[in-house]
């Protein structure tokens, strides 16, 4: 068959066989076409040695191309692109914090997070990149094939082309398997979204030393390791169609229509008011030479860094980053209801979300931020997650958050079996749903938040035991 004929056949293939192909890829562990999984750490270390990486904290005065703009004091780039750090005032109807002000990142442009895939020896493989991000504690992690803001790929920075971008922008180069606009961290971004894409390549894919083809099962093995698979890769993998054993959704505690109605009712009952305020007028925060932080030191601070990166489109730059105050805890409680695994989701309001709230894990917080509160004001189920013994933990790993905008932002992600300790009728704001139902929602915009998508990616790739 000619290349043209193969390309036409690939583009015309129906999606009905995709779940089966994903299941075969998820079942292929230990080794793929290019790399044995146990050799991955050595390959990543070799790529780290091949390039020069350096990140240093600097005072705001040493930022190049960035400044606090007057009036108001918002922190932005001289090009007017990339992002700005602005102020936000939020008022919500319930919870321990009903009114607050904070800095927030405003990045209105939509970027591309894309993973290229193709069948090799009859098994679907994913082209993953060893990519440096300045905010990651270990700098180099496994990333999507393409991870670029619009400012990056339109070369506002006058850097090199984004490798493999054409597969995601030229319809002739591949067949789109997934393409969904997903939110990012609603506590730190103002209405930020990126395209999450999975594209099956048409034609040859030129090799590059910073990229490797891995099966979904191999990625699942790597998701069990701390700080290896980055956030952008995880969110794309969460958007895969469900390929769990047939009938799971029909055995769900709630119907799909009932689930959608519950989400709508949760959005309708919350009164949320969001207002932009100048960064220089945010109450309770102070600006020093090297940071903007709360007077009590909780939640996060804004800092500045200087970066060198030998394998990025630009080899050196400076930028602001948000640095959280501690290690997060992000967890789904799970139990079987009628013999079917369910996850306990939380309808979580966040100030930066476009649609008031999205489905979040059962617990999502930095515990230290709530340590001063009485027990009844702490996040529901937090103490239960923290007290879980090894026999209850189905998944546990530390993962970095968005390393391009956040410094040392890490959370311990867990899936904890609660047995029948939590009833099938949970407290208000929480609902049991199956992993397949969560996967179905993640195929659409603004239903599943980025932290829940990380844990869903772990489920999709087979990293979670007993689901």
């Amino acid at each position: 068959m000619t290349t043209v004929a193969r390309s036409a056949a690939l583009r015309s293939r129906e999606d009905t066989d995709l779940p089966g192909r994903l299941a075969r890829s998820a079942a292929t562990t230990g080794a793929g076409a290019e790399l044995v999984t146990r050799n991955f750490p050595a390959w990543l270390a070799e790529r780290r040695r091949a390039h020069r990486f350096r990140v240093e904290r600097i005072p705001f005065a040493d930022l190049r191309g960035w400044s606090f703009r007057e009036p108001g004091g918002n922190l932005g780039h001289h090009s007017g692109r990339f992002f700005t750090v602005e102020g936000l005032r939020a008022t919500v109807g319930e919870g321990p914090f009903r009114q607050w002000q904070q800095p927030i990142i405003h990045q209105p442009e939509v970027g591309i997070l894309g993973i290229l895939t193709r069948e090799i020896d009859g098994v679907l493989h994913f082209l993953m990149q060893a990519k440096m991000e300045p905010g990651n504690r270990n700098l180099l992690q496994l990333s999507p094939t393409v991870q670029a803001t619009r400012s990056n790929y339109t070369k506002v920075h006058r850097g090199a082309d984004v490798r493999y971008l054409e597969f995601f922008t030229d319809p002739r180069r591949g067949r789109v398997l997934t393409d969904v606009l997903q939110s990012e961290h609603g506590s730190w971004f103002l209405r930020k979204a990126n395209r999450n894409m999975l594209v099956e390549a048409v034609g040859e894919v030129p090799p590059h030393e910073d990229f490797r083809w891995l099966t979904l099962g191999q990625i699942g093995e790597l998701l069990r390791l701390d700080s290896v698979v980055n956030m952008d890769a995880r969110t794309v993998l969460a958007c895969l169609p469900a390929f769990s054993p047939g009938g799971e959704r029909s055995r769900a505690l709630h119907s799909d229509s009932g689930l959608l109605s519950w989400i709508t009712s949760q959005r309708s009952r919350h009164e949320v008011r969001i207002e932009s305020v100048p960064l220089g007028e945010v109450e309770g925060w102070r600006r020093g030479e090297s940071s903007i932080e709360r007077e009590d030191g909780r939640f996060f601070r804004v800092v500045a860094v200087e970066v060198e990166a030998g394998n990025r489109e630009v080899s050196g730059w400076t930028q602001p980053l948000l640095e959280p105050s501690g290690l997060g805890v992000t967890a789904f409680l799970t139990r079987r209801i009628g013999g079917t695994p369910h996850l306990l989701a939380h309808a979580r309001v966040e100030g930066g979300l476009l649609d008031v709230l999205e489905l979040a894990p059962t617990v999502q917080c930095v515990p230290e931020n709530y340590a001063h509160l009485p027990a009844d004001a702490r996040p529901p189920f937090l103490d239960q997650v923290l007290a879980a013994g090894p026999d209850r933990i189905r998944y546990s790993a530390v993962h970095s958050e968005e390393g391009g905008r956040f410094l040392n932002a890490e959370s311990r992600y867990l899936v904890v079996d609660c047995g029948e300790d939590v009833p099938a009728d949970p407290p208000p704001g929480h609902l049991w749903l199956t992993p397949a139902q969560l996967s179905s929602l993640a195929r659409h915009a603004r239903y599943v938040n980025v932290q829940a998508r990380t844990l869903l990616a772990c489920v999709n790739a087979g990293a979670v035991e007993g689901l």
Side-chain angles (χ1 to χ4, degrees), residues 337-450:
I337 300 175
T340 298
H342 282 68
L343 302 170
L344 185 60
H346 176 213
R348 181 181 174 87
V349 175
E350 294 182 291
L353 295 176
L354 183 61
D355 279 342
V356 180
L357 61 80
E358 295 181 2
L359 293 188
T362 320
V363 172
Q364 177 189 315
C365 69
V366 175
E368 289 83 353
N369 291 332
Y370 299 85
H372 65 293
L373 297 176
D376 60 356
R378 287 162 60 83
F381 305 107
L382 172 60
D383 294 337
Q384 185 171 349
V385 167
L386 294 178
D391 60 319
R392 291 290 187 99
I393 296 174
R394 300 291 174 259
Y395 176 82
S396 177
V398 173
H399 291 302
S400 297
E401 304 302 336
E402 219 282 50
R405 297 292 177 264
F406 312 136
L407 180 64
N408 299 328
E410 295 176 323
S411 295
R412 177 162 295 281
Y413 281 86
L414 301 115
V415 177
V416 177
D417 190 337
C418 65
E420 296 185 0
D421 294 346
V422 180
D425 183 16
H430 296 79
L431 192 78
W432 291 105
L433 76 169
T434 67
Q437 287 180 310
L438 193 64
S439 286
S440 178
L441 290 172
R443 301 273 285 171
H444 302 276
R446 300 193 293 275
Y447 279 109
V448 182
N449 82 352
V450 68

Side-chain angles (χ1 to χ4, degrees), residues 162-176:
V162 175
R163 197 174 301 276
Y164 303 115
L165 178 66
E166 65 276 11
F167 287 93
F168 300 90
T169 57
D170 183 351
R172 298 169 297 179
R173 300 302 303 270
R175 184 169 68 94
V176 175

Side-chain angles (χ1 to χ4, degrees), residues 57-76:
R57 296 172 187 260
I58 59 174
F60 291 126
D62 289 348
L63 284 168
R64 299 187 300 275
W66 295 82
S67 62
F68 291 98
R69 300 169 180 170
E70 299 301 336
N74 289 344
L75 180 55

Side-chain angles (χ1 to χ4, degrees), residues 26 50 53 91 102 129 131 141 147 192 206 223 228 261 287 299 334 340 354 372 380 384 408 410 423 436 449-450:
F53 300 121
T91 304
Q102 66 169 90
Q129 175 184 183
K131 187 178 181 69
Q141 295 189 10
Q147 177 183 318
K192 175 73 174 71
L223 279 165
V228 170
S261 177
R287 186 178 116 192
F299 294 103
T334 183
T340 298
L354 183 61
H372 65 293
Q384 185 171 349
N408 299 328
E410 295 176 323
N449 82 352
V450 68

Side-chain angles (χ1 to χ4, degrees), residues 280-298:
E281 299 177 15
V282 174
E283 296 177 1
W285 293 71
R286 61 190 178 200
R287 186 178 116 192
E289 292 184 358
S290 301
S291 69
I292 302 170
E293 57 188 318
R294 277 175 57 104
E295 294 169 354
D296 59 13
R298 290 187 294 128

